[in-house]
Amino acid sequence: MKKILLFLIAAILFAACNGNGDKKTEGANLELDSITDSIRVKVGESTLNVDAKITYPTNAESIKKDLMELVKQIGQGDDFDGYPDSLKIDTTDMRSLVNYVVKSKAEWLKADFGEDVEPVTPMSYSLEVNVLEETDKYITMGVYEELMFSGPHPNYTSYGITYLKPDGKKVKLGDLDAAKTSEIKDELLTKVKDFFTELTKDDELNVDDIVLLNEKDGKIDWPVYGLFLLGDSAVFSYQMDELAPYAFGMPDVRMSLKEMKAKGWLGKTLSDFVE
């Protein structure tokens, strides 16, 4: 099991680093900008490190606004109940929002975990939004978060967001044919089990003994972050602890868009999109 966890962490970090370079094809024309911010805070004898880097299109207003809303929500977190006076932000400015993320995450970590932290325990948070792929039809942004506090291991979040050109429409689960949901989820479950079979083949574990946390009556739920496009595929990314315990990682299920169209699984927007 330890071998599985080490492999998965290495794979996640490789994927995150690999996404730092902007991938473009002929005909892509979005102008990109990146904003980086960081903060270091002393907590006892330890240093709390918070970093954020956000890449976004400057000449696609709908995409920029959506990414700004995402950054604001990440800064707010799940327990946010109003902007503290010490963290005033301009919600119409990306640089202000990125600065808000690093300050709010630093305050949150310091307040929630500072008193219990041993001097040798590192505390850190990092956020990166980058371009995974850009074509003449769409741009896919990758969102990667890593949080380390006084627990036994880091927490990771990694998923993609696809915006169609030229109007910036965000690809959603609703772009699949709702009437074919059962068929698509059957295929999802098969591919998830294939992922675990491959993952455990050298560890003498039976994939049938792995309890999938969101499987019921032979069906599997959609990933909490939906789907995105990459290459010629629809990608369904499950997070840590979403399907199975942490050590089993983050299944990344891909389905060919052409095959999905042939089966009638795509709604009109994606069906028209796929040649």
Side-chain angles (χ1 to χ4, degrees):
M1 187 67 67
K2 184 177 181 181
K3 184 164 59 177
I4 292 176
L5 180 56
L6 291 174
F7 168 79
L8 287 167
I9 292 175
I12 293 168
L13 294 176
F14 174 79
C17 294
N18 214 30
N20 290 348
D22 298 342
K23 301 176 183 178
K24 303 179 183 179
T25 63
E26 187 175 354
N29 58 1
L30 293 185
E31 298 173 3
L32 303 173
D33 193 9
S34 291
I35 295 176
T36 302
D37 205 344
S38 61
I39 193 169
R40 306 287 179 265
V41 179
K42 290 293 291 183
V43 181
E45 297 182 32
S46 298
T47 301
L48 186 158
N49 301 294
V50 180
D51 302 277
K53 179 181 179 181
I54 311 299
T55 299
Y56 63 98
T58 59
N59 63 334
E61 197 61 28
S62 61
I63 299 176
K64 180 181 176 181
K65 285 183 177 179
D66 191 79
L67 290 173
M68 288 175 68
E69 181 62 27
L70 171 70
V71 173
K72 183 177 74 172
Q73 290 176 1
I74 289 173
Q76 291 174 345
D78 294 333
D79 301 322
F80 185 78
D81 58 1
Y83 296 112
D85 291 339
S86 60
L87 298 177
K88 292 294 186 182
I89 62 169
D90 177 358
T91 59
T92 65
D93 178 68
M94 181 67 86
R95 187 171 298 279
S96 179
L97 286 166
V98 175
N99 182 251
Y100 171 63
V101 167
V102 297
K103 285 184 177 179
S104 64
K105 293 300 182 182
E107 289 296 323
W108 173 66
L109 279 173
K110 184 179 178 181
D112 283 9
F113 303 104
E115 295 180 0
D116 299 324
V117 172
E118 297 293 335
V120 295
T121 302
M123 292 194 303
S124 63
Y125 172 85
S126 63
L127 167 68
E128 183 160 358
V129 178
N130 54 41
V131 179
L132 294 181
E133 183 176 49
E134 183 178 3
T135 75
D136 58 345
K137 291 187 175 182
Y138 66 85
I139 183 169
T140 293
M141 310 297 297
V143 181
Y144 178 77
E145 291 182 273
E146 179 179 336
L147 171 66
M148 182 68 191
F149 47 90
S150 55
H153 52 65
N155 290 330
Y156 302 101
T157 302
S158 180
Y159 60 96
I161 306 171
T162 296
Y163 301 96
L164 301 181
K165 297 178 179 178
D167 61 0
K169 179 183 183 296
K170 184 161 58 176
V171 173
K172 300 175 292 187
L173 289 167
D175 292 315
L176 302 178
D177 188 333
K180 300 299 179 79
T181 295
S182 181
E183 294 179 26
I184 303 172
K185 286 188 174 182
D186 284 342
E187 181 70 7
L188 261 183
L189 181 57
T190 297
K191 288 184 176 292
V192 164
K193 289 185 175 180
D194 288 344
F195 171 89
F196 285 125
T197 298
E198 178 66 22
L199 185 66
T200 60
K201 66 181 181 181
D202 296 326
D203 288 83
E204 299 180 353
L205 293 174
N206 189 331
V207 68
D208 292 328
D209 293 332
I210 300 174
V211 178
L212 298 182
L213 303 179
N214 67 359
E215 179 191 0
K216 184 178 181 181
D217 298 328
K219 302 295 181 184
I220 192 167
D221 285 343
W222 299 121
V224 66
Y225 290 109
L227 81 159
F228 60 95
L229 307 185
L230 200 60
D232 298 319
S233 299
V235 184
F236 303 81
S237 285
Y238 289 93
Q239 305 304 303
M240 292 287 189
D241 296 314
E242 188 177 357
L243 275 182
Y246 180 92
F248 290 102
M250 306 165 75
D252 189 36
V253 176
R254 302 188 180 209
M255 295 187 190
S256 163
L257 286 167
K258 289 185 178 180
E259 292 180 7
M260 293 178 76
K261 180 176 180 177
K263 294 177 180 178
W265 290 358
L266 304 180
K268 186 178 187 310
T269 297
L270 285 183
S271 185
D272 291 346
F273 169 83
V274 178
E275 296 179 353

